[in-house]
C-alpha cells in the first residue's frame, strides 16, 4: 500500500480563491461509511450535497471490512434472539472498554439512540437475519448478531450485563461490501452528487475563520469547491501514512498488516488540524494478534517474554492485541499442549518452540529458568479445579494444559502479522462539530469516522468504527445541512 | 492548585488589532528555564527582547524543581570525576529510553552539542562542583553529578555504555532555585525586558499566517504586543489544567501530586494549536511512584495486582512509575521482608498487608491463591544465587526476601501520591520552530520546554525538561532573533 508524504494542508483564505469550480450546500470529503451516512442525511434535509472521493469509486475501508456495526440497547434483533440489553448497560460497557478517557458526550447519545440508528439502517434496506453466531467474531455465515467485544470477559462482565452487540448485514462471508452497496444505493436515491478521483487537501476559510469550502486535487490540478452550508470530513484514518504514523502513533508502525486503503492517509485530520482543530489521542489504535478467528486462543495461555500471563485469553481480540503490543512490547507467545497443535485455526502460526516439559519449552524460548514453569504450574493447578482466579478467564475456556508435547506459538510483532488501524483524530462534539483546542466548534466544519477520535478512545470492540462512523456521520450531515441555513 | 478552564485561544488576525500596546523584536511568553534561555540568546543576538510572565515573577516550575539538567557526551564534570561518555552513547541511551518514537531530529543535536551547552551554563555563573552523588536521584548535598535515569539498569545498560548525566548547581537541597536565580540574573544582564502579571492567551497572525505578536491579559484587560521578529512560547505544560488533562492525557488525572505551578495550564499549547500548530504525544507524562528517594525500592520486589513482577526494581523511578500507572493500572505494591520495614525512606508509605508467609500476604491483599507465592519463590530461588535472570535487576540490589514478617507497601495510584507532569506538546524542529501538521514551520513562531513535545516523547529521565528546555530555548531565542531580520 503506498504511503503519501505530508502534502500541503495549510488552509486557504477565501480572499485567495479567484473562483470556485464547484459549489454545493454541503460538501463531504470521503465516501466510506461515515461519508455516505452524512450525505444521505444532508440530502434528506433538502440540501444540495456533493461528495468528493479520491478513489475511483465509493466504499473505502468500510467496503473492505467485516461489516460489523456495534449497536445495542435493545435492538429488535437482540430482542428477537432473546438477549436483554438497554442503553445503560451498553453505556457502562463502552465507558469501561473504550478508555482511558472515553467521552461521555459521544458515548451517551451513541447508546441512547442506537435502537433508532438500527431502524434507520434497516430502513435503508440493510438486511438483518434473526440468527445468532455464538463465537465472538464476524459470522462466517449469514447470521446478523454476534458478540464483538469483551462483554462476556473479565472485568467487563462484572461492570455491565453482557449482551451481543455486533450487528451485520445477512450475507455469507465479509459483510462490508453489502453494507456499502446498500449505503451507496441510498446515496444515489437521495440524489447526493458524487465526484470520484477528487482528493480534498485543504480547507478554504472565510474571514471569520469558518470553513466555507475545500481545495482538492483533480487530475493533477487544484480545484476549489464552495460549501454554502458546511464541510464534512469523512476521509478515514492515517494508518497508510508512514510519516504520520511514526510521528503520532509510533507503536503502530510495528504492526505489519495495516488495515485500510490508500485513502487512509490522514488528509482529513491534517487539513483540519492545520486550520486550528484539536486532535485527540493520536497514538491510539485498534490492534489484533495474528490469530483469526481467535477461538483457539481462548484455551491457550498467552505469555509475555518473562513467561508471565498478562490477560484473560477469552478477552476480545482487540484487547489481547492492544495489551500485547502496547504493554508487552509485542513479545508474546500462545502456550498450547498437544490438542492445541491440531486446531486448524492455529495453522498459520509458526511454532516458536516445543518441549515435553515446561523447562524444555522455557529454555528453547530463552526464558529465565523456572519462569514459564511457575506460570503454567499455577495455571494448571487452578485449571484442574475448573477456574482461573488469577486472570478470570471464564470457566468454559479453562482446561489444564498437561498433555505433552507443549508448544509456544509465535505471536511476536516483529515476526508475525499484527493488524492495526488508527483511532486518533479530530475532536468532535455530539453533533459532529470539529472542535478547537479550547473546545469551541469551528463554524461550518464537521467530521465523523476515523478522521475523528470517536467512541473508542483507545480500547476497541469490533463494529465501533462502522458504528460511530455511521452514527456521527448522520449527525454531521444533518448539522452541516442546518449551518448558515 | 487552581485549574483554569479552556479560555479563548483563537488566533487574532492583525487586521483586528487597532493598536499594539507594546512592541519588541522578540516576544517570549513564560519566564521559566526555557524562556530565560531564549531571552538570554535573543538579547545576545542584539534584539530588543520582551518576556511576559503571568506570575508575579520569573521562575515558574523550574524554580520549584530539583534543578537537574540532563547533560553529557563528555562534559568537563564527567571527565573530572572519571566517567567516560560521548555523544554517541548519550544518543543511544536517549533514543532507547525516551520512546517510543523519540525524535532523532531533536535528540541528535541535543547530544552533539551538550558539552557546549554545559560550558554556556557554567559561563552564566552556574556553579558546578566536582563531586559525584552515587545514588540515582537529586543529590541532597552539594554534589553536581549523579545518575538521573535508567542508564545502569536493564535493558539500557546493554544498549549504551552507562554514564551519569544528571548535572546540577552545587548547593545543598533543591537546586532549582539557584538555577533560576542564575538564569534570571543573566536575563537582567542581557537587558531583556520582563513584564510580570501578563498572561499570553492568543497569537496575532499576519495575513500570510505568520506569528507577529500576542494578545495577553493584564489586570483583567487584553493588551496586544507586536513581535517585530518572532514569538517564543515557553509557557510550561498542562498538568494544572484539569479539563485538558482529562481530554488529552486521562491516565495522568489519576496522579494526585501534579508537579508544576498554576502556570502549567496549557495556554502556550492551546494558542499555537488553535493557530494550526501540530501537537504530539499529548497523552505522555513523567510519572513517579510515591517513594522518594527511591533507594529502598531497589531491594524490594514490585508486584502488580496479579502478584507478578513487571520491572527490574532498580530502573529509574520515572520508568517504574510509568510502567506502574500506564501498564499496571496503578495497582502495584512493594513487597518487603523484615529489614524493608525499617528503612526510613519507606516511612511515608502505608503498609497494605503483612504476613508471616506469602500465602498470608497474598490472601490479605486479595490476590489469587499461590500467585504471589509463585513470584516470590522464583525470585528468592534466583536471589539466593545473587541473580535476577527474569527481570535483570543488577546483582548488587538482589537479596532474597525471606525474613518474616513480610509486608506489602501500598503503591496504588488511588490511595497514594503518584507525581506527574505532562510531556506532550507542540511539535518543534531542531531550531525550535513550531510545525504544522504537514511538517512546515509556522513563520515567526518558536517554542521550547514543556510547551513542546521534547526529547522525552514518553520515557523520562530526570533533568530532561530543564535540559531540553534550556537547550531548545536557546535555539528558539536565536532563531526568533534571526527571523525577518
Amino acid at each position: 500500500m503506498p504511503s503519501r508524504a505530508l502534502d500541503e494542508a495549510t488552509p486557504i483564505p477565501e480572499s485567495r480563491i479567484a473562483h470556485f469550480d464547484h459549489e454545493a450546500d454541503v460538501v463531504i470529503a470521503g465516501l466510506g461509511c461515515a461519508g455516505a451516512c452524512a450525505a444521505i442525511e444532508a440530502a434528506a434535509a433538502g440540501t444540495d450535497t456533493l461528495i468528493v472521493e479520491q478513489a475511483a469509486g465509493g466504499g473505502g475501508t468500510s467496503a473492505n471490512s467485516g461489516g460489523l456495526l456495534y449497536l445495542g440497547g435493545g435492538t429488535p434483533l437482540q430482542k428477537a434472539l432473546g438477549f436483554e440489553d438497554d442503553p445503560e448497560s451498553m453505556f457502562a460497557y463502552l465507558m469501561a472498554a473504550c478508555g482511558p478517557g472515553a467521552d461521555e458526550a459521544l458515548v451517551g447519545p451513541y447508546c441512547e439512540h442506537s435502537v433508532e440508528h438500527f431502524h434507520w439502517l434497516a430502513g435503508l434496506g440493510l438486511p438483518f437475519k434473526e440468527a445468532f453466531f455464538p463465537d465472538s467474531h464476524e459470522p462466517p455465515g449469514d447470521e446478523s448478531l454476534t458478540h464483538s467485544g469483551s462483554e462476556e470477559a473479565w472485568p467487563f462482565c462484572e461492570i455491565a450485563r453482557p449482551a451481543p452487540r455486533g450487528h451485520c448485514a445477512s450475507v455469507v462471508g465479509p459483510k462490508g461490501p453489502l453494507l456499502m452497496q446498500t449505503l451507496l444505493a441510498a446515496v444515489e436515491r437521495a440524489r447526493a452528487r458524487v465526484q470520484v478521483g477528487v482528493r480534498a487537501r485543504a480547507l478554504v476559510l472565510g474571514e471569520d475563520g469558518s470553513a466555507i469550502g475545500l481545495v482538492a486535487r483533480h487530475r493533477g490540478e487544484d480545484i476549489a469547491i464552495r460549501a454554502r452550508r458546511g464541510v464534512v470530513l469523512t476521509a478515514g484514518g492515517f494508518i497508510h501514512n508512514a510519516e504520520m504514523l511514526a510521528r503520532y502513533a509510533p507503536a503502530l508502525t510495528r504492526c505489519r498488516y495495516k488495515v485500510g486503503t490508500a485513502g487512509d492517509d490522514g488528509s482529513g485530520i491534517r487539513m483540519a488540524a492545520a486550520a486550528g482543530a484539536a486532535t485527540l489521542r493520536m497514538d491510539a489504535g485498534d490492534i489484533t494478534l495474528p490469530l483469526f478467528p481467535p477461538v483457539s486462543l481462548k484455551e491457550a495461555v498467552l505469555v509475555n517474554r518473562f513467561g508471565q500471563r498478562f490477560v484473560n485469553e477469552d478477552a476480545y481480540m482487540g484487547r489481547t492485541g492492544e495489551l500485547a503490543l502496547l504493554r508487552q512490547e509485542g513479545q508474546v507467545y500462545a502456550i498450547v499442549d498437544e490438542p492445541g497443535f491440531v486446531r486448524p485455526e492455529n495453522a498459520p502460526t509458526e511454532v516458536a518452540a516445543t518441549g515435553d516439559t515446561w523447562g524444555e519449552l522455557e529454555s528453547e524460548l530463552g526464558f529465565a529458568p523456572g519462569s514459564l514453569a511457575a506460570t503454567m504450574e499455577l495455571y494448571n493447578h487452578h485449571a484442574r479445579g475448573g477456574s482461573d482466579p488469577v486472570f478470570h478467564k471464564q470457566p468454559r475456556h479453562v482446561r489444564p494444559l498437561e498433555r505433552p508435547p507443549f508448544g509456544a506459538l509465535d505471536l511476536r510483532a516483529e515476526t508475525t502479522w499484527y493488524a492495526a488501524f488508527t483511532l486518533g483524530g479530530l475532536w468532535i462534539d455530539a453533533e459532529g462539530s470539529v472542535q478547537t483546542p479550547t473546545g469551541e466548534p469551528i463554524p461550518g466544519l464537521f467530521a465523523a469516522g476515523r478522521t475523528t477520535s470517536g467512541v473508542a478512545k483507545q480500547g476497541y470492540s469490533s463494529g465501533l468504527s462502522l458504528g460511530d462512523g455511521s452514527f456521527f456521520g448522520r449527525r454531521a450531515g444533518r448539522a452541516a445541512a442546518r449551518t448558515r441555513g
Side-chain angles (χ1 to χ4, degrees), chain A residues 320-413:
Chain A
T320 54
E322 175 187 324
L323 297 181
L325 188 77
L326 302 183
R327 298 193 179 187
Q328 307 298 338
E329 318 286 355
Q331 296 288 323
V332 307
Y333 302 87
I335 305 300
V336 296
D337 65 352
E338 190 274 335
F341 281 107
V342 297
R343 292 203 64 140
E345 299 91 348
N346 294 341
T349 311
E350 297 280 335
V351 177
T354 55
D356 284 327
T357 66
W358 300 122
E360 277 179 42
L361 200 58
E362 71 192 8
S363 161
E364 200 169 324
L365 289 165
F367 288 0
S371 57
L372 180 64
T375 296
M376 295 310 302
E377 280 157 18
L378 182 65
Y379 179 80
N380 280 341
H381 168 74
H382 291 297
R384 281 179 215 112
S387 77
D388 173 22
V390 186
F391 280 92
H392 310 281
K393 182 154 67 175
Q394 296 298 336
R396 66 181 178 279
H397 302 298
V398 171
R399 176 177 70 72
L401 303 184
E402 42 196 3
R403 289 159 57 180
F406 305 119
L409 308 183
D410 190 350
L411 299 178
R412 290 174 296 166

Side-chain angles (χ1 to χ4, degrees), chain A residues 28-306:
Chain A
I28 298 170
L31 185 50
C33 174
C37 293
I40 294 164
E41 289 282 31
T47 65
D48 173 29
T49 298
L50 171 65
I51 310 152
V52 295
E53 162 59 47
Q54 65 169 288
T61 299
S62 308
N64 289 335
S65 75
L68 287 183
L69 294 137
Y70 197 94
L71 305 170
T75 64
L77 202 55
Q78 288 179 314
K79 284 184 179 165
L81 291 165
F83 294 102
E84 263 192 83
D85 197 13
D86 52 55
E88 293 71 28
S89 301
M90 185 181 176
F91 179 81
Y93 170 74
L94 289 176
M95 288 303 291
C98 295
D103 187 352
E104 283 193 29
L106 300 184
V107 179
Y110 183 71
C111 296
E112 194 183 338
H113 303 287
S114 190
V115 171
E116 183 277 332
H117 191 49
F118 173 90
H119 285 294
W120 184 83
L121 290 161
L124 295 181
L126 201 65
F128 291 109
K129 178 178 174 178
E130 289 181 6
F132 175 68
F133 180 70
D135 280 338
S136 40
H137 59 85
E138 291 150 25
D142 66 354
E143 301 91 341
S144 281
L145 188 67
T146 185
H147 275 283
S148 66
S150 291
E151 295 86 357
E152 293 186 299
W154 184 87
F156 307 102
C157 58
E158 296 179 356
I159 292 169
R161 183 184 54 207
R165 302 195 183 97
H167 290 64
C168 58
S170 176
V171 60
V172 173
K175 294 95 175 63
L178 180 56
L179 170 68
M180 285 312 300
Q181 283 161 25
T182 307
L183 293 177
L184 294 177
V187 167
E188 201 174 329
R189 285 197 306 274
R191 300 188 187 281
R193 294 180 285 145
V194 177
Q195 293 217 354
V196 298
V198 178
R199 185 157 70 89
R201 71 160 187 83
L203 290 168
V204 179
L205 298 184
E207 262 189 44
D208 62 353
S210 64
I212 61 153
L214 289 173
V215 166
R217 299 294 285 179
H218 177 54
R219 297 184 181 166
E221 306 273 321
D222 271 351
I223 59 172
I225 306 170
R226 181 194 291 278
R228 285 182 296 255
R229 290 166 182 260
V231 173
V232 183
L233 301 174
T234 48
F238 61 98
I239 195 71
H240 280 296
N241 186 312
E243 199 169 333
M244 282 183 77
L245 205 64
R247 181 78 56 191
Y248 296 102
L252 302 188
T253 60
R254 299 176 58 206
C255 299
R256 293 162 79 187
Y257 175 30
K258 295 180 169 63
V259 179
T261 58
D264 290 300
D265 62 358
S267 57
I269 297 169
R270 288 201 310 279
M271 74 178 87
T279 53
L280 294 181
R281 313 293 286 277
M282 289 289 282
D283 58 304
D286 172 52
I287 302 152
T288 50
L289 294 174
L291 270 186
F292 192 85
V295 187
S296 61
L297 196 57
K298 297 183 182 183
E299 289 196 5
V301 166
L302 269 179
V303 298
N304 64 18
R305 64 190 156 145
F306 307 112

